């Protein structure tokens, strides 16, 4: 069995500010066999490759809390959602490879177009998840299916649209019937000041989806929709760029996690020089994005201070970052005021907790290799 010994590294697990130094780690068959002091390693297995890891830091496998595997991103990211199904699947393969090579072991997919393929109709991300099961060169995927919107929000045909509260519940359960692991609502509507759904309507979805053993999250970038999500007791809120102190307190009290995606705004700032799209390139547009970034940092700070669990995501594909840029969100979280170990938690085990996957984003010594629960570096 091939084994590799990483000798004399530092180790950060995202559980405390303590950085362990002088650590050696033996990896065997893709798992952590043991973690020991570098000056007391004991025997190395015969044929073991030794890597001098001095000056390196070992961290858990990363969890991208907000990704769109089937979409390529870039400044025309919404238009790319209308690409042919084969293209979406090919894009996902490329994104999965980028994630794997950049240390992302778990991808939480929060929306992909719904298409006919493989003999049925469902979100393309669900098929991608199933294709990648058991592949070591791809992340583990948990997929929300497709976005559920009120009409007039995103381009027609891209999402499942609901007209009223009954249709909203039916659309949510329909995603679970399709094979989604959790449900994603869209709580930005055509009018930014008004939530497209009431807390009572969203609460019915929460009840119905929880009854099926799954979780519910929602895209909510505006304060109006974010407040409704908090009142309805969703499991998490995506983006949350306009959280105020009241909503932060409510989220903490009801156990609603925040999935931050500040990377999006940073990538939009680069479009000021790489595109001629007015909302990015003109001075007004640029200053609006800068204001929004500052507001997003403030929101993350308030939520964190109130005790809300913070999970970090790139929003690659749905926004404009790329699949191997999760460290960008780590930097954003530190800029927002989290300690570096807390920001590491946000892109590792906090994402695992939100997914309900206790092994995700965790680094630990494996059980004996004969045990079926012997898994680490996940
Ligand atoms: Zn997104």
């Amino acid at each position: 069995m091939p084994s590799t010994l990483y000798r004399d590294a530092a180790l950060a697990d995202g559980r405390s500010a303590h950085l362990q130094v002088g650590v050696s780690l033996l990896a065997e068959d893709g798992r952590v066999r043991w973690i020991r002091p570098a000056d007391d390693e004991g025997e190395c297995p015969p044929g073991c490759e030794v890597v001098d890891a001095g000056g390196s830091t070992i961290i858990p496998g990363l969890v991208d809390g907000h990704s769109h595997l089937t979409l390529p991103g870039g400044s025309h990211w919404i238009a790319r959602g209308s690409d042919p199904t084969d293209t979406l699947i090919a894009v996902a393969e490329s994104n999965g490879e980028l994630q794997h090579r950049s240390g992302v072991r778990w991808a939480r997919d929060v929306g992909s177009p719904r298409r006919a393929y493989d003999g049925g109709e469902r979100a393309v991300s669900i098929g991608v998840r199933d294709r990648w099961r058991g592949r070591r060169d791809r992340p583990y995927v948990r997929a929300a299916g497709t976005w559920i919107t009120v009409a007039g929000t995103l381009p027609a045909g891209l999402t499942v649209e609901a007209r009223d509260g009954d249709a909203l519940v039916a659309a949510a359960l329909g995603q679970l019937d399709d094979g989604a692991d959790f449900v994603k609502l869209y709580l930005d509507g055509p009018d930014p000041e008004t939530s497209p759904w009431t807390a009572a309507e969203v609460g019915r979805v929460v009840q119905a989806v929880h009854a099926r053993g799954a979780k519910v999250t929602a895209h909510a970038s505006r304060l109006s929709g974010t407040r409704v999500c908090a009142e309805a007791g969703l499991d998490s809120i995506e983006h949350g760029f306009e959280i105020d102190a009241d909503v932060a307190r409510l989220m903490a009290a009801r156990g609603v996690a925040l999935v931050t995606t500040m990377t999006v705004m940073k990538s939009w700032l680069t479009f000021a020089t790489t595109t001629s799209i007015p909302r990015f390139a003109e001075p007004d547009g640029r200053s609006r994005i800068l204001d929004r970034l500052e507001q997003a940092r403030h929101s993350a700070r308030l939520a964190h201070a109130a005790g809300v669990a913070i999970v970090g995501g790139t929003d690659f594909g749905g926004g404009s970052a790329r699949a191997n840029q999760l460290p960008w969100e780590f930097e954003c979280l530190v800029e927002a005021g989290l300690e570096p170990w807390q920001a590491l938690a946000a892109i590792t085990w906090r994402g695992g907790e939100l997914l309900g996957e206790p092994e995700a984003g965790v680094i630990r010594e494996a059980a004996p290799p004969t045990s079926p629960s012997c898994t680490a570096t996940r």
Side-chain angles (χ1 to χ4, degrees), residues 87-244:
T87 304
L88 300 181
I89 292 171
V91 162
E93 291 296 338
S94 156
N95 283 334
E97 190 180 348
L98 281 175
Q99 288 189 310
H100 181 76
R101 289 169 64 158
S102 60
V104 176
R105 295 289 173 264
W106 287 80
R108 180 171 175 269
D109 190 285
V110 285
S112 100
R114 189 171 189 270
R115 298 286 174 78
Y117 64 100
D118 290 351
E121 193 175 332
R122 55 187 186 154
V124 180
S125 57
I126 295 172
V128 167
R129 177 200 66 195
D130 293 346
R131 264 166 214 243
W132 291 358
R133 203 161 270 152
R135 276 185 66 172
R136 287 190 166 197
D137 59 345
R138 293 288 180 270
Y140 300 87
V141 177
R142 295 292 176 266
T146 201
W147 307 267
I148 301 171
T149 60
V150 72
T153 309
L154 287 172
L158 187 62
T159 68
V160 172
E161 293 185 342
R163 295 169 315 282
D164 55 29
D166 289 344
L168 190 67
V169 173
L173 297 180
Q175 290 303 305
L176 296 181
D177 292 341
D178 284 355
D181 298 296
F182 62 104
V183 169
K184 164 99 174 277
L185 305 179
Y186 208 87
L187 262 287
D188 282 352
D191 171 14
E193 303 307 319
T194 311
S195 170
W197 308 104
T198 65
E201 287 166 333
V202 174
R204 281 182 60 204
V205 174
V206 173
Q207 218 172 11
V209 173
H210 282 182
R212 297 266 297 257
K215 291 187 175 183
V216 190
T217 193
H219 166 115
S221 70
R222 304 289 179 174
L223 179 61
S224 55
T226 309
R227 183 178 288 121
V228 163
C229 293
E231 287 169 353
L234 259 65
D235 297 287
S236 52
I237 291 170
E238 315 290 315
H239 314 298
F241 296 146
E242 296 182 0
I243 292 171
D244 64 14

Side-chain angles (χ1 to χ4, degrees), residues 251-277:
M251 288 174 71
R254 304 210 59 179
V256 183
L258 171 66
V259 184
T260 66
T261 61
M262 291 174 276
T263 296
V264 172
M265 248 80 72
K266 291 246 179 147
S267 69
W268 284 355
L269 289 172
T270 71
F271 290 164
T273 43
T274 55
T275 80
S276 55
I277 300 169

Side-chain angles (χ1 to χ4, degrees), residues 252-378:
R254 304 210 59 179
V256 183
L258 171 66
V259 184
T260 66
T261 61
M262 291 174 276
T263 296
V264 172
M265 248 80 72
K266 291 246 179 147
S267 69
W268 284 355
L269 289 172
T270 71
F271 290 164
T273 43
T274 55
T275 80
S276 55
I277 300 169
R279 63 183 273 229
F280 303 123
E282 288 180 359
D284 267 12
R286 192 178 152 75
S287 76
R288 259 197 306 274
I289 295 165
L290 279 169
D291 288 349
R292 211 143 164 67
L293 174 59
E294 191 41 52
Q295 200 174 17
R297 283 193 191 116
H298 183 65
S299 296
R301 199 175 301 133
L302 285 176
H304 178 62
V308 172
I310 308 287
V311 175
T314 52
D315 203 2
F316 81 77
S320 39
R322 306 298 176 175
N324 56 356
Q325 293 177 329
L326 186 55
W328 216 354
E329 191 64 19
F330 171 90
E331 282 181 7
C332 290
L333 286 164
V334 173
E335 286 166 3
L338 273 69
E339 293 296 326
W341 71 270
Q342 295 167 331
L344 180 61
I347 58 168
T348 55
W349 63 270
R350 286 282 191 190
E353 279 200 338
L354 181 55
L355 287 172
E357 297 288 349
E359 297 286 353
V362 171
I363 190 159
R364 65 171 178 88
E365 276 191 0
T370 47
S371 161
S373 65
C374 168
T375 47
T377 62
R378 294 183 77 182

Side-chain angles (χ1 to χ4, degrees), residues 4-10 21-27 34 36-45 48-58:
T4 307
L5 173 67
Y6 298 91
R7 177 168 283 158
D8 197 19
V21 296
V23 172
S24 288
L25 181 152
L26 183 70
W34 49 248
R36 294 177 182 167
D39 58 7
D40 189 19
E41 286 171 356
E43 288 286 300
C44 196
C48 168
E49 180 194 1
V50 178
V51 174
D52 180 352
S56 309
T57 302
I58 297 168

